Amino acid sequence: MLKEIRVFAPASVSNIACGFDAMGFAIDNPGDEVVLRFTDNVGLTIKTITGDNNQLSYNISENTAGAPVAALMKDFNIQQGVEIEIHKKMALGSGLGSSAASAVAAAYAANILFELNLSLLELLPYAIKGEEIASGAVHADNVAPCLFGGFILIRSYSPIDIVELPVPDNLYCTIIHPNIIINTKESRKLLPVDVPLRSAITHWGNTAGLVAGLYKNDISLIGRSIEDVIVEPVRGMLIPGYYDIKDAAYEAGAAGCNISGSGPSIFALSNSLMVANNVGARMKDAANRAGLSSNIYVSTINKVGPKVLYKL
């Protein structure tokens, strides 16, 4: 019988411009790590949180990693004491699915530690419980790609319907994370309630074009489809120098570029590692000119999702 497990879950890019709350993909790094272990105590506790600058709650019901484990323990009548360690390896409010990574790592670890043998689809609603705490809304465009790996379409939420999309082997992602914080809950409050029909038509076309581009291995079509006329105009204003950074990505050869999640991270897609690295350098230069320090991540699309680092 297992006593302890440590799981890594990757960052993710959500919305992909035209796929608000409906599309996302996982990247190789950064990511979060969660440790779960049985104890002789009673109930579920959070023992340690690192990398959060003391921002996260130790209250189980208010913690993105704690809530999924608590729900699993309740539903499957787990009576043993359990404690959690959460090790944040990426900034909170980064737009890279930090809360989703912690929720997924915890749910994935619990499934193995408790020997539940749940499928990823069965595990998904538990991970979503953690994400809901952070965002104040039920959405899976970070959680699903983080859990399943790859590029994910959420076709429906009632009931949840996940579609795993193909990914071109030569598709590379460059992420720039400006060192500012945008709160997801607050960012969502700025979004328009009503959408003009013309804007909706544009989004429908781009979403279909993005899916078609993935199936056709057509990176040019993927790039042309990464266009957002609804959310980007609002969230772009929250990122200093955003449009200059975006222009720099295109000038360096990116096929497409937009905001990752609620920001402030910005993603760009390219057709080679060389271009992706050059895009990162040019985006960082543009961020510097806007007075922003930043971190750059270059990655393929992560097709694995969470992984076990060790089991004891």
Side-chain angles (χ1 to χ4, degrees):
M1 179 178 175
L2 286 179
K3 296 181 179 179
E4 180 176 323
I5 185 171
R6 187 181 190 116
V7 169
F8 165 88
S12 52
V13 172
S14 62
N15 298 339
I16 327 299
C18 55
F20 180 76
D21 276 6
M23 302 181 80
F25 61 82
I27 55 178
D28 291 332
N29 63 87
D32 285 350
E33 296 177 13
V34 170
V35 178
L36 258 63
R37 68 174 62 88
F38 286 124
T39 71
D40 294 328
N41 300 321
V42 177
L44 176 64
T45 59
I46 298 173
K47 179 184 179 182
T48 303
I49 305 175
T50 66
D52 69 323
N53 292 320
N54 297 314
Q55 296 182 61
L56 297 180
S57 174
Y58 279 73
N59 185 321
I60 293 296
S61 64
E62 298 175 354
N63 186 281
T64 58
V69 180
L72 284 163
M73 291 179 70
K74 178 182 178 182
D75 288 353
F76 292 91
N77 195 29
I78 306 299
Q79 298 295 324
Q80 291 173 269
V82 177
E83 66 181 18
I84 306 175
E85 293 182 13
I86 304 164
H87 301 286
K88 304 296 293 184
K89 304 290 185 177
M90 57 176 149
L92 279 66
S94 62
L96 294 176
S98 176
S99 57
S102 292
V104 166
Y108 192 85
N111 188 38
I112 296 173
L113 186 67
F114 303 157
E115 298 181 345
L116 301 178
N117 297 313
L118 298 178
S119 68
L120 295 181
L121 191 58
E122 291 171 324
L123 202 58
L124 179 61
Y126 292 97
I128 290 175
K129 288 179 184 293
E131 171 70 357
E132 187 178 1
I133 290 172
S135 66
V138 176
H139 61 97
D141 51 340
N142 283 114
V143 169
C146 180
L147 180 60
F148 286 80
F151 206 120
I152 300 295
L153 166 68
I154 300 94
R155 191 206 64 81
S156 169
Y157 281 90
S158 299
I160 193 78
D161 189 0
I162 300 297
V163 182
E164 299 182 61
L165 301 174
V167 180
D169 290 335
N170 62 328
L171 185 63
Y172 289 84
C173 179
T174 304
I175 301 284
I176 181 168
H177 171 222
N179 291 315
I180 58 174
I181 294 175
I182 294 179
N183 182 278
T184 302
K185 286 183 180 179
E186 296 303 315
S187 175
R188 292 184 78 89
K189 292 177 182 178
L190 302 176
L191 300 180
V193 176
D194 299 312
V195 176
L197 180 60
R198 183 179 297 275
S199 296
I201 292 170
T202 298
H203 257 54
W204 294 331
N206 283 324
T207 303
L210 177 53
V211 172
L214 290 167
Y215 273 97
K216 294 176 66 176
N217 287 299
D218 187 338
I219 293 179
S220 176
L221 176 56
I222 292 170
R224 296 199 305 276
S225 302
I226 295 177
E227 181 184 354
D228 176 4
V229 296
I230 298 173
V231 177
E232 182 187 25
V234 176
R235 287 181 166 170
M237 294 187 297
L238 302 178
I239 306 171
Y242 167 65
Y243 289 100
D244 290 335
I245 296 170
K246 182 176 180 178
D247 288 344
Y250 280 113
E251 289 168 4
C257 179
N258 215 281
I259 300 168
S260 176
S262 58
S265 290
I266 303 164
F267 77 95
L269 298 179
S270 306
N271 62 4
S272 75
L273 179 59
M274 182 180 69
V275 172
N277 283 325
N278 188 40
V279 166
R282 296 286 292 275
M283 292 172 82
K284 190 172 184 65
D285 286 344
N288 288 341
R289 290 194 295 273
L292 297 174
S293 61
S294 60
N295 299 100
I296 299 291
Y297 306 97
V298 177
S299 170
T300 56
I301 307 302
N302 180 336
K303 299 179 182 180
V304 177
K307 58 183 179 182
V308 175
L309 299 180
Y310 69 73
K311 296 186 289 185
L312 300 176

